[in-house]
Amino acid sequence: MTTPLAWVHAHQGHELALDGTDLRCRKHGGKVLRSVPAAVRESPVGERFEALREQVLRHERECRATVESWLLGDAPVPGPLLARVWDDTGWRACLRHLVVRVEGRLGLLDDVSGDGRARVREADGALYEASAGAAVTLVHPVLLDDPDGWRLLLAGHGGAQGVEQVDRRVHRRRAGRGPEGVGVEVSGGAYAYAAVSGAARRRAVEHGFAVRGGFAVLGVRERGAAVEVRCWLGSEEAGGPGEAGRLLWVDGAERPLPVGEVGPVAWSEGRRMAELVYGELDARGNEER
């Protein structure tokens, strides 16, 4: 059910309304215009609507970042917490239709009741409602046995994910393969790639990675332990020498992890980060979709 738009008089017989994050304009009681006239957008009411729109966008970004951190955090989210945020459209858009695990059941998150009962759609299409307050764990796609099946189920019910999960690019190390392949192992716990270009830092920011100490960084929690993935972005000094891009993983004590000890989620997220920051990598190495 679509919520009716709340129209507010703005300027010279025009009215404005916020439709999600889109600003709509119409002549009083008339048809919605294809665009907002400049005079209406720059009016006092138009400026207030634009400020509200920016606030909604900022809220949606915060919701998305938090939900993605849950996806990477390997931590159950309490049912009462989901119940408190579910009515918020920003939160619900990010959470609904994600593959979750609750009470040993795996399914697409369909709804959360006021008392924290998560309802999920299982692989066979049947709905299962968990007990009140049961914790829900967002499942990283590298841990899903049949991501294609979940994509089909999602499409069959007209759902869309607000946080990239089943369509997220994943990398799996093949059994019995060593660290050779796409990267060249260096220092036991890092991979070296092609030379870093000036675009690496821009790409890192565009894709929402935090930047610290010359690295793009991403926190992951796996098997109860914190791991940080780091991609070297190169020196900011103009005219500096060419550098090789490095991808490495460190534990909670800042110690580099040997490549062989990196878990599947941290490995997948590291390789995904490298692709986004350095550009598309040679896919012939020790990973597969």
Side-chain angles (χ1 to χ4, degrees), residues 63-74 94 97-99 138-144 146-148 150-151 154 160-172 207-210 217-221 229 264-276 280 287-289:
C63 293
R64 193 173 300 111
T66 301
V67 172
E68 186 166 41
S69 75
W70 292 346
L71 182 67
L72 303 179
D74 189 32
C94 292
H97 303 308
L98 291 182
V99 183
L138 281 57
V139 184
H140 191 278
V142 79
L143 303 177
L144 293 175
D146 183 22
D148 288 338
W150 293 110
R151 291 188 196 102
L154 190 64
Q161 294 187 324
V163 169
E164 192 178 45
Q165 186 193 35
V166 295
D167 287 330
R168 195 179 188 89
R169 178 72 165 145
V170 298
H171 298 268
R172 295 182 176 90
H207 288 290
F209 295 116
V217 299
L218 177 68
V220 175
R221 192 164 187 85
V229 188
V265 174
W267 172 267
S268 182
E269 287 301 313
R271 296 305 312 279
R272 175 178 179 269
M273 176 191 272
E275 284 187 343
L276 293 174
E280 192 69 23
E287 81 289 336
E288 57 189 8
R289 178 65 186 244

Side-chain angles (χ1 to χ4, degrees), residues 102-114:
V102 56
E103 296 184 329
R105 307 278 191 131
L106 202 62
L108 299 175
L109 184 60
D110 181 74
D111 194 20
V112 180
S113 66

Side-chain angles (χ1 to χ4, degrees), residues 211-278:
V211 176
R212 187 175 69 248
F215 287 91
V217 299
L218 177 68
V220 175
R221 192 164 187 85
E222 191 163 22
R223 296 178 291 203
V227 178
E228 187 172 81
V229 188
R230 297 177 179 177
C231 278
W232 178 243
L233 300 176
S235 172
E236 291 188 275
E237 296 180 10
E243 300 172 272
R246 287 178 287 143
L247 168 64
L248 64 152
W249 297 261
V250 300
D251 64 16
E254 300 282 318
R255 294 182 298 239
L257 285 172
V259 171
E261 295 181 13
V262 176
V265 174
W267 172 267
S268 182
E269 287 301 313
R271 296 305 312 279
R272 175 178 179 269
M273 176 191 272
E275 284 187 343
L276 293 174
V277 171
Y278 300 140

